[in-house]
Each structure stands twice: as structure tokens, then as C-alpha cells.
Amino acid sequence: MSLKGKNILLGVTGGIAAYKAANLTRLLVKEGASVKVVMTPAAKQFVAPLTFATLSQNPVLTEFFNPENGEWHSHVKLGVWADAMIVAPATANTIAKMANGIADNLLTTSYLSMRGKVFVAPAMDLDMYAHPTTRQNIEALKSVGNIIIEAESGELASGLNGKGRMAEPETILKAMSDYFESDKPLQGRTVLVTAGPTYEKIDPVRFIGNYSSGKMGFALAEAAAEAGANVILVAGPTKLTTLNPLIKRVDVESAQQMLDACSQHFNDCNAAVMAAAVADYRPAVQAEQKIKKGSAPMTIALESTPDIASTLGKMKRPGQVLVGFALETENGVANAIEKLKKKNLDFVVLNNATEAGAGFNCDTNHITIIKNSGEQIDYPMKDKKLVANDIINQILLLLTPEKQ
Ligand code: PMT
């Protein structure tokens, strides 16, 4: 199953099969998905929102506006948040609204705002299910890319027997999981990612380093692996771990070691993302013994480290994509563009070291992507995992089949 880490929006409509959606919520959560549930007003008459809130561990969304706390539930935010939406059970009424773009409740409005895949599991009486209007609506939903998990045959709530029972939660789970399994746009590609700081030794006990935690680079490695890539993660000193079998980790300490590892692997890669905070300078001489404390002020002569991104920029073949970061405190765009050109990058990811919630050692980042075409995309502040997805999506646009 491959729903780990996925954000799933479960839409529950007003049919007796709503009780099965509770089990579906439980299964999705068990598979590692984050689940938010949105219910139509009629659905609340079948199952209490509290059931879904307890199972999903998220507040259930039923109205646009909550008068109790003044909170506005934005369908637009839900559409951006969710990797996929599943409407289960989907009544004939909701299917008809979805097919015709009617947005009169939070569920149908969220559907129109969805960026990810939408799955629909119809549930209704056999005659409604067979009705030409319903079949036409279902075909209309399929024609715009939605995945229909057809209803099954059996005893129906009406007492009749026939096709109309909602597919079992296990069947729905499998359909979603199969979709994500096959949705591996980087399958067969290799991506090199650098992460974390480098330590440049002064003597056996001291070094020059920086505050990089490795979170941004590790999130990129995970995102690339989730998209099916074989990932070579060249990591400076960090406490982070990764379990994804597609990630091959190479631990290094200094800029020179990072350069050696990257140069060794870059030729075999389709893309490389330089998220590491590489020290720009290192002591010109490393003392072999611990430097003794003296009374006189101390000076350490520094020399430049090799520039890894520039080196790869010179090695780059047509079709390979090279992405760098620019960590700035002032004149961000101008400095980033200079790095983009100097290092022969395809695009540069600008972030600000002094902005709260961005840059070093936090779980979120605020980035602007600047392409060598001149296009700039400013993203809102978000979790580094989602930032990583945005960067991988931009790489995918450049990795056209003819450029492989
Ligand atoms: O690790 P986290 O705590 O999650 O923090 C993330 C981050 C802030 C480290 C990350 O988002 C980031 O900005 N990484 C790049 C930091 C940096 O060194 O930026 P720079 O502007 O100094 O370097 C420009 C680019 O050249 C970077 O891609 C860098 O990896 C690369 N470089 C720099 C120096 C050098 N000697 N060799 C390089 O390859």
C-alpha cells in the first residue's frame, strides 16, 4: 500500500452506506494517510460527525463558516492540501451536482477546487444507479478524469437485490493505493540530492559549520523517492534518518567529500538538487593536534572550498536538470539570479535565512523559484515536505521524455 504521508479528503454524502465510510476512514489512517472528512448536511443524519472526527483525529468539516469560533473553512485550501479526494458514499444527487459543477455545499465546492485525483464510490438503489441520467452523470465524471469505483451487487437497504451497494472500504482503499502506486512520474530516473551542513575541520576537535539541519534536503529526497526515483542523498552531518528503500545515503563531512561524492554520481543522474549548506570557506591548514588555548588573539587563515553546484554545472549534459538553492539575507532575487547564471542551474530556489519559518532548522520554508527562462514563482510558506513536492514538480516539467 502506498498511502503513507498522503493527504486524503473524504467526502461523505447522505446515504445509508455512510456507516461504511467510518471504516474507510479507519483504514486510510491505518495506512498512514492524513484524513480530513467533509460531510454534506444530509450525511450528518446518517452518521454523527463525532465518529469521523474521532477516527480521523481531525475536526469534521460540514459548513463553510463555523459561527462558534468564527472559523472559515476554505474549500480552496482543502483542494490544495489534499493529494486525493474520495467521495464515499456518493449519492445520485451529489454525483449529479459534481457532474454539473453545482457548488452548493462544502463537499461539492471542495470537489471543484481539488488539484489531486478524485475518486467516487457511488451508492444508491439499483434503479437509481441504472437510470440513464445517473449513468450519464457518472460518464461525465469519468470523462474529466475522475476514477469511479463502481457499486457492487447484493442486498440493498431498500430490501431489493441488485447493483448499487457501495464498494467495500477495502476495495476503495486498494483502488486509491493502486493509483498512487502507478503515479510514479520519476520511476526509472535517478536524482541526486545534497542535504545538511558541511563541517570544515580546524583541528581534531573544532570545525567551521552552520545551522543546517538537513530537513529541506531530506524532504526532497523523500519526495523524489515517493515519485519513484532512485535517490542518491549526499548528506552532511545530521541526526536525520530515512527508511525509504529507494534512497541510497552517502554520509560526508566536508565540502571536499561532498564534491567527491556528487562528482562520482552526477553522470548517472537525471537531476540534481543542491539543498546542502556547503561551507564557503575552510581553514587553509588543519592542525593535526588540538590547538592550545593561548593568551594572544587567534587568527585562522581561510581558503575557499570547491563549489559543488558550479562543478556539476560544468559537467551537466543536455537533458540533465541542475537545481540550486540561494540562501540570502538581502537582495534575494538579484543574488539568486547571479547564482543561477554562475552555476549554470536550470532553476534556483530562493529562501531567506532571516525570515521566521523559513530557511535553517525549521519544518516550514518560504521559497521563490527563479527559472533560467526568467519566470519566477513565489510559493506561500508551507511544510518542507510540500515545498519539496513543489520543487520536484518543477523538475518534472523540465524532464521531458525527449530530454531523458
Ligand atoms: O537544512 P535545513 O535546516 O532544512 O535548511 C535548509 C537550507 C536553508 C539549508 C536550504 O533551504 C538552503 O537554502 N540550502 C542552500 C544553502 C546555501 O548554501 O546557499 P548558498 O546561497 O550559499 O549557495 C548557493 C548554492 O550553491 C546552494 O545550492 C549550495 O548548495 C551550493 N553550494 C554553495 C557553496 C559551495 N561551496 N558549493 C555549493 O554547491
Side-chain angles (χ1 to χ4, degrees):
M1 295 279 184
S2 57
L3 292 170
K4 194 163 183 286
K6 298 286 180 221
N7 292 333
I8 306 294
L9 182 64
L10 169 60
V12 183
T13 72
I16 183 65
Y19 80 92
K20 285 190 187 174
N23 194 23
L24 178 59
T25 310
R26 196 182 60 81
L27 293 177
L28 288 166
V29 170
K30 212 169 137 203
E31 287 306 321
S34 291
V35 180
K36 288 186 183 173
V37 179
V38 55
M39 299 177 82
T40 61
K44 289 193 286 179
Q45 295 181 336
F46 287 89
V47 180
L50 183 62
T51 303
F52 290 108
T54 309
L55 291 169
S56 68
Q57 295 177 2
N58 272 316
V60 170
L61 311 164
T62 55
E63 310 291 339
F64 289 104
F65 180 65
N66 181 348
E68 279 166 27
N69 60 10
E71 203 179 327
W72 174 259
H73 297 132
S74 164
H75 52 284
V76 178
K77 275 194 191 153
L78 286 173
V80 173
W81 171 83
D83 295 304
M85 178 179 191
I86 163 76
V87 185
T91 57
N93 181 43
T94 294
I95 288 172
K97 287 182 188 175
M98 289 166 71
N100 290 286
I102 296 172
D104 64 349
N105 61 42
L106 190 57
L107 188 154
T108 48
T109 321
S110 301
Y111 163 65
L112 289 180
S113 300
M114 270 303 298
R115 291 189 175 179
K117 198 50 127 184
V118 178
F119 298 79
V120 181
M124 63 198 78
D125 209 54
L126 76 163
D127 295 311
M128 291 173 85
Y129 197 49
H131 196 283
T133 308
T134 306
R135 297 315 310 172
Q136 213 175 314
N137 288 335
I138 287 176
E139 286 310 311
L141 288 184
K142 274 189 201 166
S143 72
V144 291
N146 300 307
I147 296 178
I148 308 295
I149 305 164
E150 290 286 354
E152 295 170 359
S153 292
E155 197 181 323
L156 301 167
S158 60
L160 297 173
N161 218 294
K163 198 168 177 186
R165 287 165 63 105
M166 186 178 91
E168 291 305 318
E170 288 78 5
T171 309
I172 296 173
L173 189 76
K174 182 159 184 331
M176 298 182 73
S177 168
D178 286 352
Y179 166 76
F180 282 113
E181 202 64 55
S182 64
D183 183 35
K184 302 278 182 203
L186 282 175
Q187 197 141 32
R189 313 271 176 107
T190 303
V191 177
L192 174 69
V193 178
T194 66
T198 65
Y199 287 177
E200 310 300 330
K201 270 191 178 147
I202 298 169
D203 68 13
V205 300
R206 304 179 181 96
F207 60 85
I208 295 173
N210 60 65
Y211 296 115
S212 171
S213 62
K215 286 180 185 175
M216 190 65 251
F218 274 61
L220 277 157
E222 294 286 346
E226 269 180 30
N230 293 309
V231 178
I232 295 153
L233 172 61
V234 181
T238 158
K239 292 193 173 74
L240 300 181
T241 52
T242 174
L243 294 174
N244 194 313
L246 287 175
I247 300 176
K248 180 182 163 208
R249 178 169 171 173
V250 182
D251 285 313
V252 297
E253 188 173 289
S254 66
Q256 184 60 51
Q257 289 168 357
M258 191 171 272
L259 173 70
D260 293 344
C262 290
S263 315
Q264 189 193 332
H265 291 287
F266 184 61
N267 263 332
D268 304 325
C269 292
N270 302 91
V273 193
M274 310 278 98
V278 186
D280 287 318
Y281 294 96
R282 65 187 172 199
V285 178
Q286 288 179 14
E288 279 184 18
Q289 304 301 331
K290 183 181 172 192
I291 298 169
K292 292 273 173 284
K293 184 180 170 188
S295 51
M298 184 175 172
T299 306
I300 299 174
L302 300 177
E303 65 180 13
S304 294
T305 56
D307 192 308
I308 302 162
S310 291
T311 308
L312 301 190
K314 288 187 189 112
M315 291 169 69
K316 191 168 77 167
R317 295 186 312 270
Q320 282 183 306
V321 175
L322 180 60
V323 177
F325 272 70
L327 181 64
E328 305 298 337
T329 56
E330 58 178 349
N331 304 325
V333 172
N335 289 336
I337 290 174
E338 205 183 312
K339 286 174 185 171
L340 172 82
K341 289 185 180 151
K342 220 165 143 188
K343 298 179 194 234
N344 191 22
L345 306 173
D346 292 274
F347 64 84
V348 64
V349 182
L350 168 63
N351 52 180
N352 188 321
T354 56
E355 184 183 351
F360 281 138
N361 204 14
C362 49
D363 292 329
T364 52
N365 206 355
H366 174 202
I367 64 159
T368 302
I369 286 183
I370 305 173
K371 303 187 180 183
N372 61 10
S373 62
E375 188 191 351
Q376 286 184 25
I377 312 171
D378 192 17
Y379 295 84
M381 172 104 56
K382 49 177 108 165
D383 195 276
K384 279 184 176 163
K385 184 173 176 287
L386 298 176
V387 172
N389 286 339
D390 289 335
I391 295 167
I392 295 297
N393 283 337
Q394 288 300 325
I395 291 174
L396 277 166
L397 294 179
L398 296 172
L399 279 175
T400 52
E402 63 273 18
K403 279 191 169 182
Q404 283 175 57

